[in-house]
C-alpha cells in the first residue's frame, strides 16, 4: 500500500471514530428519557463518554507497534476497563437507579457493537470496490 | 385492506388448522422457487467432459474423506476471483460436481481449498503429510491420521452395494465394474484410497481445452 | 397461584423440569467440546493421535450437542410449559411428552456416539445418518402431536403468539429435516444423498439457514414472547408488531439460504435472491428486538432481585447485533472477504452465545425457582455468571472479527506484480493470538455455564415440581389476546 493511501485511510477511520463517538452521545441522550432521565444536558454525556473512552484511547497507542499479540494484550484490558466505566458510571451521570443504568448500558453496548460491525462491513465494502488495499477480485 | 388484514388475523388466531396451513404455505414458497428450478436445470445435474465418475477406489477414498470430517476444515469450491484462481487453479464449475453425493464444497477454510489438489503433490508427500502434517508443513494445525495407514480400505463398507445404489441414482457404472470392485480394494489401506481420491480431485477440468 | 377447588387437574411440569436438566447438561458438555476444539486449533497434538478426539469428528459433536441437545431440550421444555398455560389446559398426552423428552435425549446421545465413530452425512447440522434421521422424525412428530393437541383442546379461543413461533418451529423443521435428509441407505452407518453437487448445495443451505431461522431464532422467539411479559409483568409492547413480524419472518427467512453460496457454482440469480431477502430480513428481526426491549425497559426494578432480566436484556442486544451482521455478511461485496473465514464463526457465536444461550439462561433462572417453589440458590453466583457470559461472548466476537478480516484480506491480497502477497501458511500463523483470545472467551463462557448448572441444580435439589392448576377463565370464547396477557400478569404476581 502506498503512503498516500495509508494517510487517506487513517483520516477516514479517524472521522469514523469521531462520528461514532458523537452518535453514541446523541443516542445515549435519546435513550435517557426511556430510562428515567428527562433533564440530561449535552455536556455531561460528552464528558462521560470521553472519560469512558480514555482507557481505549491510551491503549490504542499499541497500534504503533504492529504486532497482533501485543495489541491484543494491551487493548483487551483497555476495553474491559472502558466497559466497566460505562456500566458503573452511566447511572451516576444520569442520576438514575443502578438497575436502570444497567439496562441502558446494555442497550448502548448493542448500539456500539452494531456500529463497530457496520464499520467493518463498510470498510470491507469499500475495499472490494477498490478503495484501499489491492485485492485480487 | 386494514380491516381485511385484521379479520384474517382473527381467523388465524382462533383456528389452529388455518394457522398450521398458513405457516406451511408461507414457508413453502421460498424453497419451491429456489430449489425446483435447480432440480430441472440440466447444467447443474448432467454429466459433461468435466465430470469425473469416481472409481471404486476413489469412491472409497471420498467416503473416508467424509468419515474423518475433512470437509469441516477444507473447502472444495474455488471461487471465480483472481486471487483464488491464482492460488488454487481454475474456478470450480457446476458440472464437475454432478457425481458428488453429498456435495463437499465446505463452509470454512481452516486449511486450504482442495478442489484442485489433484496431481499437485506426490503420493509419498501425501502419505507423510497425513501421518504427521507437521513433518512436511511445520506451521500446520492439521490433525494427524495415523490410523488410516493401518486400516483396510475394504472395511469402509460394501463397495458393491454402494456402486449399485449409485447406479440406481444415475451414475453410469457398468455391471463389470461393480462385480470387480471388491478386488480393486484388495490390499489397499484406507490411506491409499484417500490419496487416490485426492489425486484425481479437480484434474478433469484441466484436461479440457481452454 | 390461584387455587381451583373444583378442578383437580394440574399442569404437567415434571417433563419440563427433566428437559431443563438435560438442556443444562448438554450445554456444559457441548461447550466443553467447543473449548477443546478451540484448543486443538492452537495445539493440534491435543488429539493424541486418537480418532475419537480428532477435530473433524468432534466438531459435529459440538454443533449437534448445542443445537439438538442444549437448544431443542430448552425449546421443548419451554414449549410444553407455555403451551399449557396459554391454552389453559394441561398437556395433551403427557406420557407422549415424556417419551419425547427421554427419547430425544437417547437419540442425541447415541447420535453423538455415532458421530465419533465416523457415521456422518457431511451435511452441516444434518450430519446424523439415516437411522437417527428416522428416530428424530418420529420423536418430532410426537412433539407436534403433544403441542398441537394441547392447543386443539384449549380453553381460550385465541392462540397466543408464542405458540405461533413454536408451531412454526415444529412445522418448518419437519419439512426441512425430511427433504434435506432424503438419502438411499447402504448400511446402518452410511447412505448416499438423493441430491448431488450444486443441487445438493442449494437444498443443504435451504435447510441449514432455516435450521438457524426456525430453530435457533423462531423457536427462541417463542420463548421470548412468553417469558418476557411474565418477567416484565406487562404485556408485549406491540402485539400487532409481533404478529406482522411473525409472518414476515416466516416468509422471508426461507429465501435467505443461498447467501451461504456466494460465488459458488450455483446459478447467479439464486445467489442474488438470497442476498436481497437476507437484507430485507433485517426489518422483522429488529422489529422483534425493539418489541422485546420496549417491553422490558420498564421492568428494571426487578433487576436487583432477579438476575434473569439481565440475561434477557443482553440477549436482545446480541440478537440485534447478530441479525444486523447476518444481512451485512450476506451482501456480496462483504461476503467476498468474509466467506470461509473466522468472521462467519464469530457471527455464529454472537448469535449462539449472545442470543440463544443468554436468553435460555435468563429463562431458566426465572423458571426453575418458580417451578420448584423456592428462591434461586444464589443470586450472587448468577450475577457473576452474567459478567462471565458477557466477557466470554465479547472476547469471542472481537477475536473472530480480527481473525476473519485478516484472513479474508490477506488471502485476497495481491502485490504490484499481480502475485499473491501471502501464502496460506503465512496467514495461518497470524491467527494464533486470535485463536488464543477465542479460547479464553470460550473458557469464560463455559465456566459461567458451569456456575449456572451448579446454581440451578442446587435450587432444584431435593425438591419436586409445584403442582399448579389451570385457573378458572370466564367467557373463554370471547377471551381476547390482551386478556391472556393480563391473565399472565396476574399469574406472575401470585
Amino acid at each position: 500500500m502506498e503512503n498516500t493511501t495509508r494517510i487517506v485511510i487513517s483520516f477516514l477511520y479517524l472521522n469514523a471514530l469521531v462520528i461514532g463517538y458523537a452518535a453514541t452521545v446523541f443516542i445515549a441522550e435519546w435513550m435517557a428519557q426511556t430510562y428515567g432521565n428527562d433533564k440530561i444536558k449535552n455536556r455531561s454525556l460528552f464528558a462521560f463518554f470521553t472519560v469512558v473512552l480514555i482507557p481505549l484511547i491510551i491503549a490504542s497507542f499499541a497500534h504503533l507497534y504492529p504486532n497482533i499479540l501485543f495489541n491484543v494484550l494491551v487493548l483487551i484490558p483497555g476495553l474491559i476497563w472502558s466497559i466497566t466505566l460505562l456500566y458503573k458510571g452511566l447511572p451516576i451521570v444520569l442520576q438514575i437507579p443502578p438497575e436502570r443504568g444497567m439496562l441502558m448500558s446494555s442497550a448502548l453496548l448493542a448500539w456500539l457493537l452494531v456500529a463497530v460491525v457496520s464499520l467493518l462491513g463498510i470498510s470491507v465494502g469499500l475495499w472490494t470496490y477498490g478503495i484501499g488495499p489491492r485485492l485480487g477480485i | 385492506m386494514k380491516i381485511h388484514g385484521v379479520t384474517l388475523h382473527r381467523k388465524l388466531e382462533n383456528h389452529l388448522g388455518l394457522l398450521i396451513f398458513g405457516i406451511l404455505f408461507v414457508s413453502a414458497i421460498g424453497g419451491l422457487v429456489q430449489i425446483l428450478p435447480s432440480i430441472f436445470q440440466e447444467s447443474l445435474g448432467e454429466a459433461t467432459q468435466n465430470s469425473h465418475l469416481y472409481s471404486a477406489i476413489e469412491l472409497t477414498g471420498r467416503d473416508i474423506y467424509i468419515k474423518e470430517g475433512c470437509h469441516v476444515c477444507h473447502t472444495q469450491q474455488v471461487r471465480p476471483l483472481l486471487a483464488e484462481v491464482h492460488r488454487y487453479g481454475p474456478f470450480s464449475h457446476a458440472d464437475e460436481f454432478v457425481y458428488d453425493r453429498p456435495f463437499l464444497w465446505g463452509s470454512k477454510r481452516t486449511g486450504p481449498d482442495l478442489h484442485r489438489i489433484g496431481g499437485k503433490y506426490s503420493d509419498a508427500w501425501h502419505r507423510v503429510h497425513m501421518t504427521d502434517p507437521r513433518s512436511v508443513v511445520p506451521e500446520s494445525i492439521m490433525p494427524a491420521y495415523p490410523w488410516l495407514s493401518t486400516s483396510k480400505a475394504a472395511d469402509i463398507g460394501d463397495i458393491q452395494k454402494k456402486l449399485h445404489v449409485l447406479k440406481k441414482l444415475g451414475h453410469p457404472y457398468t455391471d463389470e465394474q461393480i462385480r470387480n470392485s471388491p478386488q480393486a480394494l484388495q490390499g489397499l489401506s484406507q490411506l491409499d484410497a484417500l490419496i487416490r481420491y485426492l489425486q484425481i480431485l479437480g484434474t478433469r477440468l484441466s484436461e479440457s481445452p481452454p | 397461584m390461584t387455587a381451583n377447588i373444583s378442578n383437580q387437574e394440574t399442569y404437567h411440569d415434571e417433563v419440563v423440569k427433566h428437559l431443563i436438566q438435560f438442556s443444562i447438561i448438554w450445554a456444559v458438555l457441548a461447550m466443553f467440546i467447543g473449548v477443546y476444539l478451540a484448543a486443538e486449533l492452537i495445539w493440534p497434538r491435543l488429539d493424541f493421535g486418537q480418532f475419537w478426539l480428532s477435530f473433524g469428528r468432534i466438531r459435529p459433536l459440538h454443533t449437534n450437542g448445542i443445537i439438538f441437545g442444549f437448544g431443542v431440550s430448552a425449546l421443548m421444555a419451554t414449549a410444553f410449559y407455555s403451551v399449557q398455560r396459554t391454552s389453559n389446559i394441561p398437556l395433551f398426552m403427557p406420557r407422549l411428552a415424556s417419551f419425547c423428552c427421554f427419547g430425544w435425549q437417547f437419540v442425541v446421545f447415541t447420535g453423538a456416539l455415532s458421530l465419533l465413530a465416523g457415521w456422518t452425512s457431511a451435511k452441516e447440522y444434518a450430519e446424523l445418518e439415516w437411522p437417527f434421521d428416522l428416530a428424530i422424525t418420529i420423536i418430532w412428530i410426537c412433539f407436534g402431536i403433544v403441542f398441537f393437541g394441547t392447543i386443539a383442546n384449549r380453553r381460550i379461543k385465541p392462540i397466543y403468539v408464542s405458540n405461533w413461533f413454536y408451531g412454526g418451529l415444529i412445522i418448518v423443521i419437519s419439512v426441512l429435516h425430511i427433504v434435506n435428509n432424503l438419502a438411499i441407505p447402504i448400511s446402518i452407518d452410511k447412505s448416499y444423498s438423493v441430491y448431488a453437487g450444486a443441487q445438493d448445495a442449494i437444498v443443504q443451505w435451504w435447510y441449514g439457514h432455516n435450521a438457524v431461522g426456525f430453530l435457533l431464532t423462531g423457536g427462541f422467539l417463542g420463548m421470548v414472547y412468553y417469558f418476557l411479559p411474565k418477567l416484565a409483568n406487562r404485556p408485549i409492547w406491540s402485539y400487532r408488531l409481533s404478529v406482522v413480524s411473525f409472518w414476515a419472518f416466516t416468509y422471508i427467512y426461507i429465501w435467505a439460504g443461498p447467501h451461504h453460496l456466494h460465488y459458488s457454482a450455483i446459478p447467479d440469480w439464486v445467489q442474488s435472491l438470497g442476498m436481497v431477502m437476507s437484507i430485507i430480513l433485517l426489518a422483522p428481526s429488529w422489529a422483534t428486538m425493539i418489541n422485546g426491549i420496549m417491553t422490558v425497559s420498564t421492568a428494571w426494578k426487578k433487576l436487583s432481585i432477579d438476575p434473569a432480566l439481565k440475561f434477557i436484556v443482553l440477549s436482545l442486544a446480541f440478537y440485534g447485533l447478530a441479525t444486523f451482521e447476518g444481512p451485512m455478511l450476506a451482501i456480496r461485496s462483504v461476503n467476498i472477504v468474509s466467506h470461509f473465514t473466522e468472521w462467519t464463526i464469530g457471527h455464529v457465536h454472537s448469535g449462539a452465545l449472545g442470543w440463544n444461550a443468554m436468553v435460555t439462561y435468563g429463562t431458566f433462572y426465572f423458571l426453575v425457582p418458580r417451578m420448584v417453589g423456592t428462591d434461586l440458590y444464589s443470586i450472587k453466583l448468577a450475577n457473576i455468571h452474567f459478567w462471565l457470559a458477557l466477557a466470554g461472548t465479547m472476547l469471542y466476537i472481537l477475536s473472530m472479527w480480527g481473525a476473519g478480516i485478516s484472513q479474508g484480506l490477506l488471502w485476497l491480497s495481491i502485490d504490484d506484480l499481480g502475485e499473491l502477497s501471502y501464502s496460506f501458511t503465512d496467514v495461518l500463523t497470524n491467527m494464533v493470538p486470535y485463536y488464543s483470545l477465542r479460547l479464553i472467551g470460550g473458557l469464560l463462557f463455559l465456566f459461567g455455564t458451569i456456575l449456572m448448572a451448579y446454581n440451578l441444580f442446587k435450587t432444584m435439589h431435593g425438591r419436586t415440581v409445584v403442582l399448579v392448576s389451570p385457573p378458572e377463565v370466564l367467557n373463554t370464547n370471547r377471551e381476547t389476546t390482551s386478556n391472556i396477557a393480563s391473565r399472565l400478569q396476574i399469574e406472575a404476581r401470585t
Side-chain angles (χ1 to χ4, degrees):
Chain A
M1 240 200 292
E2 306 124 23
N3 272 332
T4 41
T5 321
R6 256 183 264 166
I7 290 173
V8 167
I9 290 174
S10 303
F11 179 71
L12 286 173
Y13 274 113
L14 182 62
N15 270 282
L17 289 175
V18 169
I19 292 171
Y21 162 73
T24 307
V25 172
F26 285 121
I27 287 173
E29 265 173 39
W30 172 64
M31 283 182 181
Q33 270 206 348
T34 314
Y35 291 96
N37 181 308
D38 301 330
K39 41 186 169 54
I40 187 65
K41 282 196 162 63
N42 258 6
R43 281 168 295 169
S44 34
L45 276 180
F46 267 110
F48 173 65
F49 279 104
T50 308
V51 169
V52 164
L53 287 173
I54 286 175
L56 270 178
I57 293 172
I58 297 176
S60 63
F61 277 95
H63 292 326
L64 290 172
Y65 181 59
N67 177 283
I68 300 170
L69 186 59
F70 176 70
N71 273 266
V72 160
L73 286 175
V74 173
L75 282 164
I76 293 298
L79 179 67
I80 293 173
W81 197 343
S82 285
I83 293 185
T84 311
L85 286 174
L86 173 68
Y87 271 87
K88 281 213 163 111
L90 194 63
I92 298 172
V93 166
L94 290 180
Q95 291 162 353
I96 54 178
E99 293 83 22
R100 274 196 126 158
M102 208 253 130
L103 289 180
M104 185 171 156
S105 303
S106 297
L108 275 171
L109 192 62
W111 148 250
L112 287 168
L113 284 167
V114 169
V116 172
V117 89
S118 308
L119 189 59
L120 291 177
I122 293 171
S123 304
V124 172
L126 287 175
W127 298 338
T128 317
Y129 187 68
I131 301 170
R134 187 179 281 113
L135 295 177
I137 51 178
Chain B
M1 277 270 257
K2 203 175 172 192
I3 299 173
H4 280 164
V6 172
T7 315
L8 179 61
H9 165 69
R10 286 269 172 258
K11 279 217 180 84
L12 290 163
E13 194 184 40
N14 288 304
H15 199 292
L16 180 63
L18 272 181
L19 187 59
I20 293 177
F21 176 74
I23 294 173
L24 262 171
F25 178 72
V26 167
S27 64
I29 300 171
L32 289 172
V33 171
Q34 288 179 336
I35 296 175
L36 279 186
S38 79
I39 305 286
F40 295 110
Q41 189 172 336
E42 283 176 9
S43 61
L44 294 181
E46 279 197 0
T48 65
Q49 68 205 44
N50 296 329
S51 318
H52 176 87
L53 183 66
Y54 299 108
S55 70
I57 304 176
E58 290 156 6
L59 186 69
T60 304
R62 186 174 203 267
D63 285 344
I64 294 166
Y65 183 101
I66 291 170
K67 186 173 179 188
E68 301 302 336
C70 305
H71 54 280
V72 163
C73 292
H74 291 283
T75 56
Q76 283 185 24
Q77 45 163 317
V78 181
R79 294 178 290 172
L81 306 172
L82 189 65
E84 253 179 55
V85 169
H86 228 58
R87 193 185 293 280
Y88 299 115
F91 66 87
S92 306
H93 294 216
D95 52 359
E96 297 182 79
F97 299 107
V98 299
Y99 293 127
D100 283 22
R101 290 178 202 274
F103 80 115
L104 291 174
W105 292 2
S107 58
K108 176 76 170 39
R109 280 180 191 158
T110 313
D113 188 281
L114 296 180
H115 194 217
R116 299 274 174 235
I117 197 88
K120 288 226 171 94
Y121 298 90
S122 68
D123 281 7
W125 185 93
H126 278 299
R127 225 169 278 284
V128 178
H129 180 239
M130 297 295 286
T131 314
D132 180 12
R134 277 150 288 284
S135 59
V136 283
V137 185
E139 315 91 337
S140 173
I141 56 172
M142 178 164 139
Y145 295 91
W147 60 88
L148 288 180
S149 48
T150 52
S151 322
K152 293 204 209 103
D155 289 343
I156 294 284
D158 186 342
I159 185 65
Q160 278 186 321
K161 186 134 191 247
K162 285 184 180 179
L163 294 176
H164 190 67
V165 164
L166 287 175
K167 187 174 177 187
K168 276 221 190 96
L169 286 168
H171 298 208
Y173 291 109
T174 63
D175 288 332
E176 200 195 323
Q177 265 178 305
I178 298 178
R179 236 182 305 124
N180 293 335
S181 51
Q183 263 175 287
L185 291 183
Q186 262 183 20
L188 289 180
S189 70
Q190 291 185 7
L191 186 55
D192 294 326
L194 179 60
I195 292 174
R196 210 64 91 78
Y197 167 68
L198 293 175
Q199 293 290 31
I200 53 96
L201 264 185
T203 50
R204 202 55 188 256
L205 185 71
S206 54
E207 286 171 17
S208 50
Chain C
M1 331 292 168
T2 39
N4 206 316
I5 309 156
S6 53
N7 199 346
Q8 290 291 323
E9 63 182 9
T10 58
Y11 291 133
H12 295 285
D13 290 338
E14 197 66 32
V15 67
V16 175
K17 186 181 93 163
H18 287 130
L19 281 163
I20 292 178
Q21 289 171 326
F22 281 123
S23 175
I24 295 172
I25 294 169
W26 281 116
V28 174
L29 281 175
M31 287 179 194
F32 172 72
I33 297 175
V35 164
Y36 203 83
L37 287 165
E40 281 187 331
L41 287 173
I42 303 169
W43 303 291
R45 293 188 205 271
L46 274 176
D47 63 4
F48 304 111
Q50 302 298 314
F51 72 86
W52 49 277
L53 287 175
S54 186
F55 190 96
R57 296 222 193 174
I58 63 175
R59 189 257 187 185
L61 219 63
H62 169 63
T63 53
N64 281 256
I66 289 290
I67 296 172
F68 299 118
F70 169 52
V72 171
S73 299
L75 288 173
M76 264 192 204
T78 51
F80 287 157
Y81 183 88
S82 61
V83 74
Q84 294 182 85
R85 285 152 172 86
T86 48
S87 306
N88 201 53
I89 192 166
L91 275 183
F92 177 66
M93 293 182 74
R95 300 239 297 267
L96 193 60
S98 287
F99 169 71
C100 288
C101 164
F102 293 101
W104 187 260
Q105 307 311 320
F106 180 72
V107 170
V108 180
F109 180 69
T110 48
L113 293 177
S114 78
L115 289 171
L116 278 183
W119 301 16
T120 172
S121 71
K123 299 181 78 167
E124 270 185 90
Y125 321 130
E127 289 94 344
L128 292 174
E129 269 288 358
W130 64 274
F132 298 96
D133 290 338
L134 282 174
I136 288 172
T137 309
I138 293 170
I139 299 180
W140 203 257
I141 290 174
C142 295
F143 180 26
I145 292 173
V146 175
F147 183 79
F148 288 118
T150 309
I151 297 179
N153 289 334
R154 66 193 184 282
R155 298 196 183 113
I156 298 174
K157 203 149 188 286
I159 304 170
Y160 182 61
V161 74
S162 68
N163 295 325
W164 298 30
F165 280 95
Y166 283 118
L169 158 77
I170 294 172
I171 295 167
V172 178
I173 294 293
S174 309
V175 176
L176 294 172
H177 173 77
I178 293 171
V179 173
N180 187 43
N181 282 299
L182 288 177
I184 316 268
I186 312 286
S187 53
I188 191 142
D189 60 340
K190 183 77 185 162
S191 60
Y192 283 130
S193 167
V194 306
Y195 313 103
Q199 294 161 337
D200 194 19
I202 295 174
V203 174
Q204 159 61 27
W205 288 111
W206 164 78
Y207 165 86
H209 192 77
N210 292 298
V212 173
F214 287 86
L215 203 161
L216 292 180
T217 312
F220 286 84
L221 287 178
M223 207 189 280
V224 164
Y225 277 117
Y226 180 80
F227 288 97
L228 205 57
K230 291 281 264 187
L231 252 174
N233 248 348
R234 54 178 294 153
I236 292 290
W237 180 65
S238 166
Y239 195 73
R240 180 175 296 217
L241 189 59
S242 68
V243 169
V244 169
S245 52
F246 171 79
W247 289 113
F249 204 73
T250 306
Y251 177 65
I252 297 170
Y253 224 116
I254 302 282
W255 297 80
H259 69 226
H260 294 261
L261 294 165
H262 279 323
Y263 294 102
S264 75
I266 69 166
D268 260 357
W269 66 267
V270 180
Q271 296 177 32
S272 301
L273 205 48
M275 174 175 102
V276 168
M277 295 308 251
S278 302
I279 295 168
I280 297 176
L281 188 56
L282 181 58
S285 304
W286 271 44
T288 308
M289 174 190 69
I290 291 169
N291 215 350
I293 290 186
M294 293 309 278
T295 306
V296 285
S297 63
T298 52
W300 55 274
K301 284 206 182 98
K302 297 185 76 184
L303 260 182
S304 50
I305 45 160
D306 193 343
L309 191 58
K310 283 212 249 294
F311 280 93
I312 305 268
V313 167
L314 203 62
S315 77
L316 289 171
F318 280 110
Y319 176 73
L321 169 66
T323 51
F324 180 84
E325 191 178 33
M328 200 182 71
L329 289 173
I331 300 171
R332 271 222 186 83
S333 51
V334 179
N335 197 272
I336 284 186
V337 173
S338 76
H339 199 19
F340 305 133
T341 68
E342 308 290 349
W343 194 349
T344 310
I345 307 296
H347 169 64
V348 167
H349 287 84
S350 69
L353 302 179
W355 155 241
N356 293 116
M358 287 210 209
V359 76
T360 309
Y361 294 170
T363 302
F364 284 176
Y365 277 125
F366 173 73
L367 190 51
V368 169
R370 295 173 93 250
M371 273 181 60
V372 296
T374 183
D375 292 329
L376 183 65
Y377 175 73
S378 165
I379 294 184
K380 185 164 182 218
L381 274 181
N383 284 329
I384 295 174
H385 178 198
F386 174 79
W387 293 111
L388 286 172
L390 175 58
T393 308
M394 291 283 294
L395 286 177
Y396 201 111
I397 295 173
L398 293 172
S399 62
M400 292 298 98
W401 278 348
I405 302 240
S406 303
Q407 279 175 332
L409 193 60
L410 297 178
W411 286 342
L412 292 173
S413 184
I414 54 174
D415 62 21
D416 296 335
L417 299 171
E419 300 294 320
L420 294 167
S421 306
Y422 303 98
S423 74
F424 193 89
T425 41
D426 285 338
V427 181
L428 183 64
T429 42
N430 273 308
M431 293 298 112
V432 177
Y434 298 120
Y435 286 170
S436 308
L437 199 59
R438 183 255 302 271
L439 176 61
I440 295 171
L443 278 167
L444 290 175
F445 202 89
L446 172 64
F447 185 54
T449 305
I450 292 172
L451 285 183
M452 177 189 79
Y454 175 73
N455 205 350
L456 290 179
F457 275 98
K458 273 290 212 187
T459 308
M460 288 187 272
H461 183 60
R463 311 191 77 96
T464 52
V465 167
V466 171
L467 293 174
V468 180
S469 293
E472 276 286 334
V473 178
L474 303 169
N475 272 329
T476 58
N477 272 340
R478 285 171 48 208
E479 171 136 26
T480 61
T481 43
S482 54
N483 277 13
I484 297 178
S486 308
R487 195 173 47 76
L488 292 178
Q489 273 175 257
I490 295 166
E491 264 185 58
R493 279 193 219 113
T494 53

